[in-house]
């Protein structure tokens, strides 16, 4: 009998080789012997072909057959169709949700398929559960009835003066029992808001609880400008931050302004600029250097000629094309005398004319430097 089985296997393999060689568009998925002892080839497209009589008594199946398992919804619509080998399990799709009902099980076992199957879902009346939301002190915020397997909807957690809502202590996204859900709070953080002037000098600091509103310690003033608020919001504070004073240039005023910065080694870098509506053709001026200053250097900007003469810096600026507002004309660097916290500058303008030409009236602003 063993020799007979071996001969049959050689015959079937030979037939498979012929089938594979003659099929271009499809492939053979398996070959088996039917009740009439004919070799049957099954192709990848689902069709079969009788390869002829084998002529030897042998076990019928070489590869088990496949069966069709069809999953339907509660209304008979097809959810999924699957081909499964004999004895294997089918894989069920997700059962569709039905209002006020819960999926219980499938009506037919498909763990060891032995024939074609049609499988339908079985639903039961959905259980309803009560979900109660409490605040941190146990007061009821909301009570909700939820169908089995569904999610509850949380209320807005109450605001607290010194604490902030963190989370709910119990999950309620898939309710399967009556639930009590309590709000969890944490202590609010304390943040520091630092207020700076346009030069970078600190005007003051303030402490504020998280989500609170902070009050500015001062209302900044800058000659030739009007205060225009702070660079960041002072309400709903959620982190430490620095805000800088903003200003609007005074309308219709011709201005000479100082901008400056103090380096880590104490060196001051100051820039003299002309702002406002002026379009000047000539500027001649003398800037007094603060007493005790050392390492003084001067650089002319925008074509201005500058030179140091004793305790002053001479500025000469001439232009044919004229220069409009916001033009830097001098960069002055120096180290102030030890212990100085403020420096006052004296600028003498000897001549300043516009393109007409006509004399230009001006205002000097920012002429006091706060070094600390």
């Amino acid at each position: 009998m063993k020799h007979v089985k071996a001969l049959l296997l050689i015959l079937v393999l030979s037939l498979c080789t012929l089938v594979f060689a003659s099929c271009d568009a499809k492939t053979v998925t398996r070959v088996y012997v039917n009740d009439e002892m004919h070799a049957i080839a099954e192709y990848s497209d689902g069709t079969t072909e009788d390869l002829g009589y084998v002529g030897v008594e042998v076990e019928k199946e070489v590869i088990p057959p496949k069966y069709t398992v069809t999953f339907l919804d509660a209304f008979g619509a097809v959810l999924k169709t699957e081909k499964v080998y004999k004895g294997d399990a089918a894989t069920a799709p997700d059962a569709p949700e039905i209002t006020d009902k819960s999926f219980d099980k499938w009506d037919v076992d498909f763990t060891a398929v032995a024939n074609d199957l049609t499988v339908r879902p079985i639903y039961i009346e959905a259980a309803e559960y009560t979900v109660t939301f409490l605040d941190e002190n146990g007061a009821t915020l909301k009570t909700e009835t939820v169908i089995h397997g569904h999610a509850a909807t949380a209320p807005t957690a109450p605001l607290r003066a010194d604490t902030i809502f963190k989370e709910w202590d119990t999950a309620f996204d898939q309710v399967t029992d009556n639930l009590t859900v309590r709000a969890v709070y944490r202590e609010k953080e304390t943040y520091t808001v630092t207020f700076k002037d346009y030069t970078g000098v600190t005007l003051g600091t303030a402490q504020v609880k998280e989500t609170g509103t902070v009050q500015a310690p001062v209302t900044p003033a800058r000659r030739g400008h009007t205060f225009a608020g702070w660079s960041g919001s002072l309400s709903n504070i959620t982190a430490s931050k620095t805000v800088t004073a903003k200003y609007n240039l005074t309308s219709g005023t011709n201005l000479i302004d100082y901008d400056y910065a103090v380096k880590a080694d104490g060196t001051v870098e100051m820039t003299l600029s002309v702002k406002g509506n002026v379009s000047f053709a000539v500027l001649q001026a003398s800037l007094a250097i603060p007493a005790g200053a050392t390492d003084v250097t001067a650089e002319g900007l925008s074509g201005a000629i500058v030179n140091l003469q004793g305790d002053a810096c001479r500025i000469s600026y001439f232009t044919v094309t004229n220069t409009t507002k916001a033009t830097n004309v001098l960069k002055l660097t120096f180290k102030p005398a030890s212990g100085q916290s403020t420096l006052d500058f004296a600028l003498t303008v000897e001549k300043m004319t516009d393109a007409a030409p006509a004399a230009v009236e001006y205002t000097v602003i920012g002429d006091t430097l706060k070094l600390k």
Side-chain angles (χ1 to χ4, degrees), residues 181-261:
V181 185
R182 188 182 297 267
V184 178
Y185 286 77
R186 61 171 175 79
E187 292 297 318
K188 285 187 176 181
E189 300 287 344
T190 299
Y191 298 117
T192 300
V193 179
T194 302
F195 297 84
K196 288 185 177 291
D197 203 354
Y198 73 105
T199 60
V201 173
T202 298
L203 300 172
T205 59
Q207 304 294 310
V208 60
K209 287 287 188 180
E210 185 175 359
T211 70
T213 298
V214 66
Q215 297 295 323
V218 295
T219 299
R222 182 183 179 189
R223 287 203 300 171
H225 294 75
T226 55
F227 177 61
W230 298 98
S231 61
S233 174
L234 303 187
S235 62
N236 193 30
I237 304 298
T238 56
S240 293
K241 63 195 296 187
T242 296
V243 294
T244 302
K246 299 189 298 181
Y247 300 87
N248 292 325
L249 195 65
T250 304
S251 176
T253 303
N254 300 315
L255 305 171
I256 295 177
D257 194 12
Y258 299 102
D259 292 314
Y260 69 97

Side-chain angles (χ1 to χ4, degrees), residues 86-115:
K86 180 180 179 181
D88 287 350
T91 303
D94 292 333
E97 290 188 1
I98 296 180
T99 303
D100 298 334
K101 293 186 181 298
S102 293
F103 172 73
D104 183 39
K105 61 183 179 180
W106 298 97
D107 68 344
V108 175
D109 178 42
F110 47 84
T111 57
V113 177
N115 52 268

Side-chain angles (χ1 to χ4, degrees), residues 121-162:
I122 296 175
Y123 292 85
I124 60 175
E125 291 298 321
E128 292 184 343
Y129 304 110
T130 299
V131 180
T132 304
F133 292 90
L134 307 179
D135 69 8
E136 77 278 25
N137 299 316
T140 300
L141 300 174
K142 177 185 178 182
T143 300
E144 182 180 359
T145 300
V146 181
I147 296 172
H148 176 90
H150 288 227
T153 302
T156 300
L159 296 177
R160 299 293 185 242
D162 296 319

Side-chain angles (χ1 to χ4, degrees), residues 70-80 96 106 118-121:
T70 303
F71 291 90
L72 306 179
D73 68 11
F75 307 101
V78 176
L79 298 173
K80 177 184 178 182
W106 298 97
T118 298
V119 186
R120 294 176 174 81

